[in-house]
Amino acid sequence: MFASSVVQNQDEKKKYRWKVSFTVLLLFIFGAIINLPFSREVKNLAIEAGKKDITLNESIFSELLTIGISGLILGSILVFIGLWVSSNANLGAPLIARYFSNKPMSEIIDRKAILSSIFLSVIIALILLVLFEIQSEVYPVPNKLPRPSKMYYLIVAFSAGITEEIMFRLGLMSFIVTVIHSFKSADNPGNGTVWAAIIISALFFGLMHLPLSNNFVDLTPFTISVTMIGNLITGSTFGWIFWKRGLLVAILSHIVFDLVFHVIGSPYS
């Protein structure tokens, strides 16, 4: 189940690149927009907690327009990097290309491979939840701020799963693989090249989550370490899934992880 990989059909991916690019771009914009309720609730809670440096835009429509435009620009850059600049990285969105080809999906990926990716995400989520429970008993973090309700995390699970995988796996990880591979003579990137890209992109994934963590706890050496280590583990897991099964399965696995970790579990209670 864990050994099998998606078959990367380069001719198919090249033939349907425009359709795949447009689909991924729409996914990114959609993911960015549906994050709005969560981000506004985080700001609301911060303002209620007495944070002075937080402002909330009173016009939801202007904020939606801003998010839509910024999502279009950033998404276009990420799609261009991940599907065009990094076309020789042997990564990308093969399942979306296969969808447009009208050929059986089973020819390039086994259903067990998809289920094993989801299963792996669930296991990682449960392990991290247990570690958070142990941490809260052994070394409780003071000055915790209120967090949004489960309803908001239900929405943001889909937003984060879509946007973060496109940003950090399709965009950043693919680009790193392409840059490293450009110095080598092999036809396809080796395991070492891909793993280096997985780890580096996972580190950036952790850095991106530090400002979000600061909305709920004070950033101390301990909370920074917890955020970085946790996201290094999850980022590496999603990076491996993206490498072996493609963007669509990575997005699905990320969504399932967030649902288990944030909606079913309560890691910061």
Side-chain angles (χ1 to χ4, degrees):
M1 289 175 69
F2 290 102
S4 61
S5 301
V6 65
V7 177
Q8 299 281 352
N9 189 319
Q10 298 298 338
D11 293 334
E12 190 171 271
K13 287 161 67 177
K14 185 175 181 180
K15 181 178 180 180
Y16 299 104
R17 189 178 293 165
W18 277 105
K19 290 183 178 180
V20 174
S21 299
F22 187 65
T23 302
V24 175
L25 178 58
L26 287 180
L27 270 175
F28 186 80
I29 295 172
F30 171 74
I33 288 174
I34 63 173
N35 184 62
L36 181 59
F38 178 82
S39 64
R40 288 183 66 87
E41 179 64 8
V42 169
K43 291 178 181 178
N44 268 322
L45 292 172
I47 292 171
E48 290 174 4
K51 285 202 170 187
K52 305 292 186 182
D53 56 339
I54 304 294
T55 57
L56 186 64
N57 191 337
E58 294 184 3
S59 173
I60 296 178
F61 295 105
S62 66
E63 199 165 353
L64 273 172
L65 181 61
T66 302
I67 292 172
I69 293 173
S70 60
L72 175 62
I73 296 171
L74 178 58
S76 299
I77 294 171
L78 293 169
V79 167
F80 179 67
I81 291 173
L83 298 178
W84 296 80
V85 174
S86 304
S87 59
N88 294 325
N90 208 30
L91 298 170
L95 297 189
I96 301 178
R98 172 51 56 117
Y99 171 80
F100 286 114
S101 74
N102 293 319
K103 296 178 182 178
M105 202 72 72
S106 58
E107 290 181 357
I108 64 171
I109 191 167
D110 191 332
R111 183 178 299 178
K112 290 181 179 179
I114 299 175
L115 293 176
S116 67
S117 301
I118 296 171
F119 176 74
L120 178 61
S121 296
V122 171
I123 293 300
I124 295 296
L126 294 175
I127 291 173
L128 290 178
L129 285 171
V130 171
L131 292 176
F132 267 103
E133 284 297 317
I134 296 172
Q135 172 263 308
S136 64
E137 294 293 331
V138 176
Y139 195 95
V141 175
N143 303 323
K144 289 183 180 179
L145 296 178
R147 303 178 69 85
S149 66
K150 300 285 188 179
M151 179 188 69
Y152 291 99
Y153 278 104
L154 179 63
I155 299 171
V156 85
F158 290 88
S159 171
I162 295 170
T163 58
E164 291 177 1
E165 290 311 301
I166 294 174
M167 186 181 302
F168 289 96
R169 258 56 73 178
L170 181 68
L172 181 59
M173 179 179 152
S174 298
F175 182 70
I176 295 171
V177 169
T178 300
V179 170
I180 297 176
H181 185 60
S182 66
F183 294 98
K184 300 186 177 183
S185 57
D187 292 334
N188 295 315
N191 291 351
T193 296
V194 179
W195 272 112
I198 288 174
I199 299 301
I200 294 171
S201 59
L203 288 172
F204 278 99
F205 185 60
L207 289 172
M208 186 272 293
H209 280 85
L210 289 178
L212 180 60
S213 296
N214 195 35
N215 288 311
F216 310 118
V217 295
D218 294 331
L219 288 183
T220 65
F222 179 76
T223 57
I224 291 173
S225 299
V226 168
T227 300
M228 290 299 297
I229 292 171
N231 283 287
L232 178 62
I233 293 171
T234 55
S236 298
T237 301
F238 301 141
W240 180 86
I241 294 172
F242 172 64
W243 173 29
K244 293 295 184 178
R245 282 81 196 260
L247 177 66
L248 208 56
V249 181
I251 288 174
L252 180 60
S253 301
H254 192 147
I255 291 171
V256 171
F257 171 89
D258 280 355
L259 289 174
V260 174
F261 189 70
H262 290 293
V263 179
I264 297 176
S266 299
Y268 304 101
S269 58

